[in-house]
Amino acid sequence: MKKYDRYIDRLFDEDNFEPIEVVGEDGKTYKLTQIAVVETEHGAYAVLADENLGENEAYVFFIDEEQDCLTYVDNELVANEVLSELDEEIDEDYYD
């Protein structure tokens, strides 16, 4: 595994394809696949998925750069805003 100065640096590394490990509230460690990093006016968010989710489902985490950690977004409105922004970015890339 490539060494990073901070835990979240791997999210911003476009060449990193290793799973992102997060610890759930249950204390278990989960290995998630990075889908994207989405920048919004409120900050940066990581969109991550695992094999147990459906094809069009993902987890959204706020990237806390000061604390060098991820925080699960349980607010459905915020998560949908981030996923809508991702959809717009994908559409822009597709049509460029």
Side-chain angles (χ1 to χ4, degrees):
M1 179 160 101
K2 185 176 177 181
K3 290 288 183 184
Y4 297 95
D5 290 334
R6 300 178 309 152
Y7 167 76
I8 62 169
D9 287 343
R10 71 185 88 190
L11 293 167
F12 296 101
D13 180 354
E14 293 179 5
D15 296 323
N16 179 42
F17 298 104
E18 296 176 23
I20 304 297
E21 293 185 358
V22 297
V23 178
E25 290 181 354
D26 57 5
K28 292 183 182 178
T29 299
Y30 297 89
K31 291 185 179 187
L32 303 175
T33 302
Q34 181 174 341
I35 306 300
V37 170
V38 178
E39 301 274 348
T40 73
E41 63 185 70
H42 305 290
Y45 294 85
V47 180
L48 308 174
D50 72 13
E51 59 193 33
N52 297 323
L53 291 177
E55 184 176 320
N56 292 321
E57 295 179 307
Y59 300 112
V60 177
F61 293 85
F62 176 72
I63 301 172
D64 186 334
E65 294 191 54
E66 287 183 24
Q67 298 296 317
D68 188 29
C69 67
L70 298 174
T71 302
Y72 176 70
V73 175
D74 59 359
N75 181 314
E76 192 173 331
L77 293 174
V78 174
N80 285 338
E81 177 183 333
V82 171
L83 295 174
S84 291
E85 180 68 30
L86 177 58
D87 285 342
E88 287 177 24
E89 289 177 14
I90 291 170
D91 286 346
E92 287 174 10
D93 287 344
Y94 180 77
Y95 290 110
D96 279 345

